[in-house]
Amino acid sequence: MSNPDVFAATADPNRRHILEELRRAPKTVNDLAKGLPISRPAVSQHLKALLDCGLVTVTSEGTRRIYSVNNRGFDGMNLWLDQFWS
């Protein structure tokens, strides 16, 4: 796992939308693509970026891949932001 910058990964509005949807419930690429003006392959690319920085996890159920928010992936972001409120 490469672990790129979470702030760069969340700068894209499509990725923020994906995270908001996944915060509500785990979803497949098809479910996520329904709410976005981009193709399923583009959604998959955005999910890969979110997976690479640890903000999203994926599990397999048969032939389906279910994506969900990885709360632990936000720990570093939260620690960095919290320093501004201390």
Side-chain angles (χ1 to χ4, degrees), residues 5-78:
D5 182 13
V6 294
F7 291 102
T10 57
D12 185 281
N14 290 315
R15 291 183 190 153
R16 289 193 307 271
H17 178 84
I18 289 169
L19 287 169
E20 289 169 12
E21 288 297 311
L22 294 176
R23 181 180 57 83
R24 291 179 183 92
K27 297 186 185 324
T28 65
V29 172
N30 288 339
D31 294 335
L32 291 165
K34 291 176 189 171
L36 289 166
I38 56 177
S39 67
R40 284 185 311 211
V43 171
S44 292
Q45 289 176 347
H46 286 300
L47 283 166
K48 178 166 180 356
L50 294 170
L51 281 164
D52 286 348
C53 66
L55 296 177
V56 170
T57 60
V58 62
T59 57
S60 295
E61 291 182 8
T63 60
R64 296 173 27 159
R65 292 173 50 90
I66 311 295
Y67 295 87
S68 58
V69 169
N70 179 13
N71 292 331
R72 291 186 62 200
F74 285 89
D75 288 347
M77 182 185 280
N78 286 336

